[in-house]
Amino acid sequence: MHNHHFLIDNKLKELTEHSTTTWPIALYHTKIRDHMSGYIPLHWHDEFQFVFILEGEAEFHINEKILNIQQGDGVFINSGCLHMAKDANGTTCTYICLNVSPHFITTNELFTTFVHPYMHASQTPFILFNRKDGWPNQIYQCIQIIQRLIEQTPAYYELELNIQLITIWKCLLQNRFQLTYDARKHDRNERMKHMLNWIHEHYHEKVLLQDIAREGQLSRSECCRYFNDILKKSPIHY
């Protein structure tokens, strides 16, 4: 397990290769303020992400929602969702983070039924882990086992990794995952990615609101509404 300092491309996709040796899985120990920006900037990635707060408190922005997550609690972030994080309420936040490729959760035969539909469940961009609920403790315990397996690599640890990942996924499906799809939310997320991508490619030029709105195929007022809803700031301020 190691500290995580990442780069993002002009589409805000994280460039980090989330893998340990030959496996599409990675475990990070992150202190938010140690990042070069002082916070975790807005980005997205194809991997599922599981976060548990070890110290302090964090403010996560996931798509249009703002979540305050306290020590002992956590969050699951679905594939492809825009998110960022910063310290909250004057604390210094440290968290453990498991990133795993959706294709590594289970076998190809089971992937179509038990994983792929949930990747596109636009009504579930995240799932909060509240320690008072009890069931998230099983996920946290599995992550701790995964950490030991990665660090110690005992005999047959690859098989044990798969067991722990399937246990995590089954626990998530049994307790909180809603298999619902809203084309409007998916479209909204994709439009936002396109507009942010355009800004990152042209920010050194004269950036006009009408240009940003055109990239998202929106009116100027609707473009501003997107930014205010998702980023809590105007396009030009961003």
Side-chain angles (χ1 to χ4, degrees):
M1 185 172 67
H2 49 280
N3 288 326
H4 182 28
H5 300 286
F6 60 82
L7 297 175
I8 57 178
D9 67 12
N10 58 11
K11 295 181 181 179
L12 300 186
K13 183 175 183 180
E14 186 178 347
L15 296 173
T16 308
E17 185 70 25
H18 294 296
S19 61
T20 301
T21 62
T22 59
W23 305 103
I25 179 175
L27 199 64
Y28 302 113
H29 191 276
T30 299
K31 181 179 286 187
I32 291 178
R33 67 175 50 181
D34 282 350
H35 189 272
M36 64 183 71
S37 303
Y39 61 95
I40 308 300
L42 188 70
H43 67 287
W44 63 277
H45 40 71
D46 294 322
E47 292 81 10
F48 294 135
Q49 187 169 86
F50 298 84
V51 172
F52 280 91
I53 307 299
L54 303 177
E55 296 179 9
E57 185 176 342
E59 179 180 296
F60 273 79
H61 295 228
I62 306 174
N63 286 355
E64 302 174 30
K65 299 293 185 179
I66 297 178
L67 313 171
N68 273 65
I69 306 177
Q70 300 179 350
Q71 182 175 333
D73 295 338
V75 64
F76 162 80
I77 302 174
N78 208 343
S79 172
C81 291
L82 285 163
H83 58 283
M84 63 166 288
K86 60 183 180 180
D87 291 326
N89 295 327
T91 66
T92 299
C93 179
T94 301
Y95 62 78
I96 189 171
C97 173
L98 173 68
N99 281 18
V100 57
S101 167
H103 294 275
F104 193 50
I105 295 291
T106 188
T107 63
N108 289 337
E109 291 78 7
L110 296 176
F111 177 83
T112 302
T113 301
F114 293 105
V115 180
H116 185 266
Y118 296 90
M119 293 171 59
H120 303 285
S122 56
Q123 295 287 72
T124 310
F126 64 88
I127 296 173
L128 279 172
F129 298 144
N130 188 324
R131 61 189 182 278
K132 295 178 181 178
D133 292 337
W135 65 268
N137 293 330
Q138 183 179 17
I139 293 178
Y140 181 58
Q141 289 167 6
C142 288
I143 290 176
Q144 289 180 306
I145 293 172
I146 289 172
Q147 177 184 334
R148 290 196 295 270
L149 291 169
I150 290 174
E151 291 174 347
Q152 299 172 11
T153 61
Y156 312 114
Y157 82 97
E158 299 94 339
L159 295 176
E160 187 60 36
L161 273 177
N162 270 158
I163 292 171
Q164 297 305 320
L165 287 174
I166 290 174
T167 301
I168 288 173
W169 195 248
K170 180 183 176 184
C171 184
L172 203 62
L173 299 192
Q174 287 178 323
N175 287 281
R176 283 293 186 272
F177 228 132
Q178 296 181 358
L179 188 53
T180 53
Y181 178 77
D182 186 334
R184 291 173 300 178
K185 286 198 173 184
H186 176 76
D187 177 68
R188 188 178 177 86
N189 195 35
E190 291 305 306
R191 287 176 189 266
M192 193 69 202
K193 288 179 183 177
H194 284 303
M195 290 189 290
L196 293 172
N197 176 36
W198 189 91
I199 292 174
H200 280 249
E201 289 181 342
H202 297 276
Y203 72 92
H204 56 285
E205 305 168 10
K206 184 178 181 180
V207 175
L208 300 176
L209 175 59
Q210 62 201 43
D211 297 323
I212 301 171
R214 186 184 304 115
E215 186 64 25
Q217 298 181 325
L218 299 168
S219 67
R220 287 183 294 180
S221 60
E222 191 69 6
C223 172
C224 290
R225 189 173 298 113
Y226 269 53
F227 273 79
N228 286 326
D229 287 348
I230 296 173
L231 299 181
K232 314 305 177 189
K233 62 183 66 174
S234 71
I236 301 302
H237 185 197
Y238 176 81

